[in-house]
Amino acid sequence: MDKKQKRLLLALCYTVLFSVMNGTMFNVALPEIAQDFGLLPSQVSWVVVGYGMVFAIGAITYGKLADLFPVRRLVAIGLAIFSLGSIIGFFASSYWLVIMARIVQASGAAAIPALGMIVATKYFPAERRGYVLGYIASTVAFGTGVGPMLGGVITQWFGWSVLFLFSVMSLLALPVLYRTLPVEQMTKGSFDTIGTLLFGAGIASLLLGINVNVMIAGLAVVFFALFGMHIRRTQAPFIQVSLLANGPYRLLLLLGMMIFFAMMSSFFILPLLLEEVNGLKAGVIGLVLFPGSMMAALLGSRIGRLSDKYGSAMIIKWASLSMVFGFVALSTFIGVSPVGIACMLIVIYLGFASIQSALASFVSRPLERKEIGVGMGLYNLTTFMGGAFGPALVSRFLEMHTGHWNLLNGTAFDSYSNAYLILAVVCLGALLVLALVQIRLSKEAQLSTQRYESI
């Protein structure tokens, strides 16, 4: 890479860092926010779920817009909206204002990872793609760990509202991004506003059905049906039907959704568990999460190189097994010392960071250059949807009486133990999806060879 590309990569990592920290910092503050406003777990989860929902829809929206507008212009708009939401949140005095601020934040922050993936796959050579995505994955892992630690310290000493103000520092990367991103011209085309609204309404209805009233989820079926009819009749739909016709690509999207479902659910559960079971305060909770993220951050770029060398499928396979082992261990040893929990989290973090870099590289390869914007945007959409659905479902699960599933768990905290068993099963399901992807790719390769030989 030349110096300009290195500066671009550093600026991307800096903005991704703040985007990730903005999510994980608030996870640690959830107990304090719930206490201040008198909320149940399913209610306070909207600090995370609302953010994740808008983040998911924004991810593909920015990906689609990147096919029409210059990337650096979209980055500037995204960072400005992100900072505006942060300022609103800092002055929020009621819970609905907190949620509104998180939604505004998410609508801007969604530009950062979505456009970051596009830049990594579009403006860097293919042979360096795993390396670049590995650095981005390392940054995500670093932010995932530093976020709770900083969030805990800030919440304990200054109050959770200061967490909003911290994110404004992301604007410092804007001048560097503006100088290093390529100068592009606007492309002729149209943006599918109706499709965007129908899809967004479907996602919102589904999440409201999970967290508020199951009857609302019925509206999601209606909106998604209307969305399906709409994209078949529109020349430039929000999501291209042809893109979804790629079987291996669809399965990889499902795999990413399942992994993010498991990881974001774990981020939601841990602060509540550590406060209730271990009696830890916010500042200490952040320290428990820190070692795992640091290990993943240090090894993330090397994992990206391994993905280039040994193939993404191999990395995803072993990383998923690592997450399964970590979740089963957490389910079994509920109430163990914070040091023990930190050690288990190292295994989970390493698995998650490995999957992030390997899967992003895997998903981008079957895409043509003209499909990268929407294709990577759809990838971000599905992963963040998983990240939004996870806390929404798990928060409901924690309020249920589910019995004693893990016979090796000797504590009375069955809900937490059972939740981690479910996350382990989800990761096992991701392994099954990976096997299906490999079977489909193998069959397609054989058909391609047969066609070539028949010519």
Side-chain angles (χ1 to χ4, degrees), residues 45-46 48-54 56-57 199-211 217 220 224 254 257-258 260-262 264-266 268 381-397 423:
S45 70
W46 275 100
V48 177
V49 173
Y51 184 89
M53 176 182 69
V54 177
I57 299 168
F199 192 83
I203 297 291
S205 299
L206 189 56
L207 286 169
L208 284 169
I210 294 170
N211 268 49
F224 284 134
L254 175 61
M257 179 183 288
M258 295 171 74
F260 270 73
F261 177 101
M264 294 304 109
S265 297
S266 178
F268 176 79
L381 167 71
T382 52
T383 55
F384 291 125
M385 276 177 57
F389 289 143
L393 288 170
V394 168
S395 65
R396 282 292 186 184
F397 182 82
L423 300 187

Side-chain angles (χ1 to χ4, degrees), residues 61-95:
T61 302
Y62 281 106
K64 184 67 176 178
L65 289 172
D67 292 334
L68 304 173
F69 301 96
V71 171
R72 64 177 187 169
R73 183 184 302 178
L74 295 175
V75 168
I77 293 171
L79 287 175
I81 296 174
F82 182 38
S83 299
L84 175 63
S86 301
I87 294 171
I88 293 173
F90 177 69
F91 291 104
S93 57
S94 60
Y95 186 55

Side-chain angles (χ1 to χ4, degrees), residues 269-289:
I269 296 170
L270 272 170
L272 300 175
L273 183 153
L274 291 171
E275 184 198 44
E276 181 179 349
V277 180
N278 296 84
L280 302 183
K281 294 185 178 179
V284 183
I285 291 173
L287 292 175
V288 174
L289 305 179

Side-chain angles (χ1 to χ4, degrees), residues 59 108 147 168 323 420 446:
V168 179
M323 292 183 70
Y420 276 113
Q446 290 176 0

Side-chain angles (χ1 to χ4, degrees), residues 341-407:
I341 293 176
C343 292
M344 298 177 216
L345 290 177
I346 290 175
V347 177
I348 296 172
Y349 271 112
L350 284 174
F352 181 61
S354 302
I355 293 174
Q356 276 189 301
S357 58
L359 185 57
S361 180
F362 204 172
V363 168
S364 67
R365 285 170 185 168
L367 300 176
E368 297 180 10
R369 186 175 178 84
K370 64 180 180 180
E371 296 176 324
I372 285 178
V374 177
M376 295 307 294
L378 185 56
Y379 166 71
N380 281 295
L381 167 71
T382 52
T383 55
F384 291 125
M385 276 177 57
F389 289 143
L393 288 170
V394 168
S395 65
R396 282 292 186 184
F397 182 82
L398 293 178
E399 296 173 7
M400 299 167 58
H401 299 288
T402 53
H404 195 80
W405 295 356
N406 189 342
L407 299 179

Side-chain angles (χ1 to χ4, degrees), residues 215-384:
M215 299 298 293
I216 301 176
L219 291 174
V221 178
V222 176
F223 284 124
F224 284 134
L226 292 172
F227 175 75
M229 295 169 57
H230 172 77
I231 62 175
R232 285 176 172 80
R233 299 175 180 176
T234 306
Q235 291 184 344
F238 182 58
I239 298 176
Q240 296 172 341
V241 178
S242 59
L243 192 62
L244 295 177
N246 187 327
Y249 175 73
R250 287 200 313 268
L251 289 171
L252 287 171
L253 295 183
L254 175 61
L255 194 157
M257 179 183 288
M258 295 171 74
I259 291 298
F260 270 73
F261 177 101
M263 196 64 187
M264 294 304 109
S265 297
S266 178
F267 286 154
F268 176 79
I269 296 170
L270 272 170
L272 300 175
L273 183 153
L274 291 171
E275 184 198 44
E276 181 179 349
V277 180
N278 296 84
L280 302 183
K281 294 185 178 179
V284 183
I285 291 173
L287 292 175
V288 174
L289 305 179
F290 185 71
S293 63
M294 289 304 95
M295 288 293 294
L298 291 172
L299 297 176
S301 60
R302 295 184 182 181
I303 292 168
R305 295 190 188 101
L306 290 175
S307 177
D308 291 334
K309 185 176 181 180
Y310 296 106
S312 299
M314 182 65 71
I315 300 298
I316 294 170
K317 175 183 176 181
W318 289 106
S320 298
L321 286 172
S322 174
M323 292 183 70
V324 170
F325 177 80
F327 286 138
V328 171
L330 282 174
S331 171
T332 302
F333 299 107
I334 293 288
V336 74
S337 71
V339 175
I341 293 176
C343 292
M344 298 177 216
L345 290 177
I346 290 175
V347 177
I348 296 172
Y349 271 112
L350 284 174
F352 181 61
S354 302
I355 293 174
Q356 276 189 301
S357 58
L359 185 57
S361 180
F362 204 172
V363 168
S364 67
R365 285 170 185 168
L367 300 176
E368 297 180 10
R369 186 175 178 84
K370 64 180 180 180
E371 296 176 324
I372 285 178
V374 177
M376 295 307 294
L378 185 56
Y379 166 71
N380 281 295
L381 167 71
T382 52
T383 55
F384 291 125

